[in-house]
Amino acid sequence: MTEESFLNDLSLSLHEAWHLLQSGAGDRHSPLHTPAVATVTGDGIASQRIMVLRSVDQAKRQLRFNTDVRGSKVADIRRNGTVSILGYHPEAKVQLRLSGTAVVQSEGPVADAAWQQATLYGQRCYLADPGPGTPAGSPTSGLDPDIEGVKPTPEQVRPARANFAILLVDVQTIEWLYLAHTGHRRARFDWNEAAHEWNSTWLVP
């Protein structure tokens, strides 16, 4: 989509935002393939990390990430499902700030399908023992030396399924910032559940 088409059009700006997110999920070279995801700790502190955007469902307003059930972000979300997501696409000159509510699912058909879609190398990550964030006395990947640096077999990664989960984010707000040389554009889109539509407004950049 050209700049001229969405520069002054809220609906087309929203469309472009979702298009960039969907492209990010499908293209590992896209800057939006790895946005920053922030949760709120039990102490009320924002905690951010880079995560891989695995899939985007515009109709459901839902983003999916994969995660380890033992990670701190999972504990954060189980206490407080509020999350914020930030991504920037320098070539498209677009910054996206999204907020919504998240849930973690370690079982069920969606989680099972996500596990099957992961590569053996990706599945291997969930074999780390002890879990992510555990203090260590020396540099470590957390993996057994016999499996570190090699492609594992399906039998070797099978125990990792118990540590695997998906993080589903229901997007409720999108802030769009487009950096135009003629003058930036900023907009906010809030999901109206009662009307089943987005409430849109321009903001001063």
Side-chain angles (χ1 to χ4, degrees):
M1 188 181 300
T2 64
E3 174 183 301
E4 291 78 11
S5 64
F6 63 75
L7 185 65
N8 297 310
D9 189 306
L10 281 169
S11 63
L12 290 180
S13 292
L14 179 61
H15 175 82
E16 180 71 358
W18 282 109
H19 170 71
L20 290 172
L21 288 168
Q22 290 170 331
S23 298
D27 179 6
R28 64 187 181 90
H29 298 294
S30 168
L32 294 181
H33 190 57
T34 51
V37 180
T39 56
V40 181
T41 69
D43 297 325
I45 299 171
S47 178
Q48 301 180 53
R49 76 282 296 161
I50 297 298
M51 297 187 71
V52 176
L53 179 59
R54 298 293 180 178
S55 67
V56 174
D57 189 327
Q58 182 177 353
K60 293 183 177 180
R61 300 173 290 103
Q62 192 172 81
L63 312 182
R64 177 176 66 82
F65 303 86
N66 295 344
T67 190
D68 192 308
V69 294
R70 301 167 294 173
S72 61
K73 72 177 88 54
V74 172
D76 292 345
I77 289 168
R78 286 175 173 165
R79 282 189 300 263
N80 181 346
T82 301
V83 298
S84 177
I85 299 167
L86 174 65
Y88 178 64
H89 196 304
E91 184 177 345
K93 299 181 291 185
V94 170
Q95 173 185 274
L96 294 175
R97 291 200 302 166
L98 300 88
S99 60
T101 56
V103 295
V104 175
Q105 294 180 3
S106 58
E107 300 178 352
V110 180
D112 289 340
W115 173 256
Q116 293 300 324
Q117 291 169 9
T119 66
L120 289 172
Y121 283 114
Q123 293 174 346
R124 185 186 64 176
C125 297
Y126 301 94
L127 285 173
D129 185 27
T134 303
S138 60
T140 179
S141 67
L143 297 174
D144 187 289
D146 291 338
I147 203 172
E148 189 172 22
V150 298
K151 184 177 181 178
T153 65
E155 291 74 22
Q156 287 175 311
V157 298
R158 187 169 291 115
R161 176 63 182 86
N163 300 323
F164 175 82
I166 55 173
L167 171 61
L168 299 175
V169 179
D170 290 334
V171 178
Q172 297 170 343
T173 299
I174 299 174
E175 275 210 21
W176 153 280
L177 176 64
Y178 177 70
L179 304 179
H181 72 280
T182 54
H184 305 330
R185 293 293 187 272
R186 183 180 175 189
R188 179 182 172 110
F189 307 94
D190 294 288
W191 180 250
N192 184 328
E193 184 63 34
H196 205 68
E197 64 182 14
W198 291 97
N199 293 335
S200 308
T201 185
W202 292 111
L203 302 173
V204 177

